[in-house]
Amino acid sequence: METVKFDELQLDERIIRAITEMGFEEASPIQAQAIPVAMEGRDMIGQAQTGTGKTAAFGLPQKVDPKVKKLQAIVLLPTRELAIQVAEEMRRFAKFMHGVKVLPIYGGQDIVKQIRSLKDGTQVIVGTPGRVMDHMRRKTVKVDHVLTVVLDEADEMLNMGFLEDMETILSQLPEERQTLMFSATMPQAIAEIARKFQKDPVTVRVIKKE
Ligand code: AMP
């Protein structure tokens, strides 16, 4: 496949600057395929493993409006480690977009502290389904301005017993939103989630080179 440079992807100039500073030169295959789909606002199923650069395929803060101090995007993923790591990478992408706040939210962390951080105009949360759902129930996470939801490592979330939580969260999000799903494998229950909660998704598949 031909190589694609980030400045060919019509990204916000501030994001290109951050990506360049991070040392990324060309888009990885999943990024080259997924970023245009994501920017178009289409729903997507990305079959990709870690190490393919999928975080940058869904984590670019392109559509977050820094002036709007409301939750605009939710990333769900299976573990606390991943939440911390992905939130960190998204902050780096948003380095030159001042006023974008990304917060990792996971079980086991002091909930009072989380609630305090959430009040501070967080636009993006990156978290594990159980804890995100807990906050939705407490109304410390309000989803009425959410435009984008990402299910990262959906098959792993299934393995960890988060199927019901994923469904509960998805069913409460605004109807008019974009749903991006990444999964290395496509078990029946995950295909079913896509069928129930996505609209006409584009499938993007990348095989990892060893
Ligand atoms: P991920 O699959 O998102 O966990 O990314 C794997 C690693 O590759 C991370 O350390 C990223 O920072 C890095 N990475 C992602 N995309 C690129 C790229 N286009 N060029 C160079 N490194 C990248």
Side-chain angles (χ1 to χ4, degrees), residues 6 24 26-28 31 50-55 89:
F6 283 101
F24 296 11
E26 308 174 332
S28 72
Q31 291 160 2
T50 34
T52 51
K54 69 185 161 58
T55 310
E89 191 156 6

